Amino acid sequence: MTYQLVIFDNDGVLVDSEPTAHRILSGYLTELGYPTTLEDSLRDFLGNAGRNVHQVVAQRFGGTLPEDFAQRCHERVFAAFREELTATPDAAAVLGELRERGVPYCLASSSDHAWIDLTLERTGLRPQLPAGSVFSAEDVGGVGKPAPDLFLHAAAALGVAPADCLVVEDSPNGVLAARAAGMDVLGYTALTPGPRLTGAGATALIERLPELLDRLPA
């Protein structure tokens, strides 16, 4: 199929932020008395940490988090990003190749714009993703994935029908959102087991970002 727009998730797809973010999150939860490993955090919170962490702590530990938990966690993660964040392998090269081929692309993330901006600046991807090609859940009233609103908004903003979009996602919630929007979606298996992504409805799986290029016209 000839796609008119490729939509990338950000965290874990274009920027290698998830190991750092979940190392900080799991460590902070453990510090607060809720023992959580990195593997626990990736399994439970990848793609939906902000909405799900309070619920998991309540259900698993019968506890509650401090009111300023989200703010303090973000501060810790942001500090770590400034020191160690990098782009995912081949991300810059894949974006460059898409531009060379004349294939439009954009970014659509449930994170807020401040988070996205920091990751793009720190990884050097900002020149390839100017403001008009970056979409946040903030743009749709804070409604993040698995709702389809963000993907539908990005497609509409760029004048492309949902059926002509290909999404690259690494979380089940992201896959669910893309499918609910009527879009094909490649499940990126760098951190999430393939069966979890296909179970959510991924059209196909890729282990490395350059495999995306094989699914597009040369």
Side-chain angles (χ1 to χ4, degrees), residues 42-118:
L42 288 168
R43 181 193 65 233
D44 295 335
F45 306 130
L46 182 67
N48 65 353
R51 295 182 297 280
N52 197 39
V53 63
H54 291 269
Q55 180 182 359
V56 169
V57 166
Q59 292 178 344
R60 185 169 298 161
F61 300 102
T64 58
L65 294 170
E67 290 185 6
D68 62 352
F69 171 81
Q71 177 184 344
R72 289 187 177 275
C73 191
H74 271 77
E75 289 172 353
R76 294 183 182 202
V77 172
F78 271 45
F81 279 3
R82 293 187 179 96
E83 296 295 326
E84 62 188 71
L85 187 63
T86 61
T88 53
D90 302 306
V94 167
L95 295 180
E97 179 64 21
L98 291 176
R99 180 171 294 181
E100 286 291 320
R101 295 188 187 186
V103 178
Y105 63 83
C106 69
L107 179 159
S109 169
S110 288
S111 299
D112 59 36
H113 278 291
W115 179 290
I116 298 169
D117 289 342
L118 173 63

Side-chain angles (χ1 to χ4, degrees), residues 165-199:
C165 297
L166 177 64
V167 176
V168 185
E169 269 286 355
D170 71 326
S171 74
N173 270 351
V175 172
L176 288 169
R179 296 303 288 163
M183 301 175 179
D184 285 348
V185 54
L186 295 180
Y188 181 44
T189 62
L191 290 174
T192 305
R196 290 193 66 200
L197 298 176
T198 54

Side-chain angles (χ1 to χ4, degrees), residues 96-155:
E97 179 64 21
L98 291 176
R99 180 171 294 181
E100 286 291 320
R101 295 188 187 186
V103 178
Y105 63 83
C106 69
L107 179 159
S109 169
S110 288
S111 299
D112 59 36
H113 278 291
W115 179 290
I116 298 169
D117 289 342
L118 173 63
T119 64
L120 296 182
E121 295 292 344
R122 181 63 184 83
T123 58
L125 294 177
R126 171 55 79 190
Q128 293 172 292
L129 287 157
S133 63
V134 174
F135 302 94
S136 159
E138 286 186 309
D139 303 328
V140 288
V143 179
K145 306 163 188 176
D149 305 45
L150 176 58
F151 286 133
L152 292 172
H153 171 70

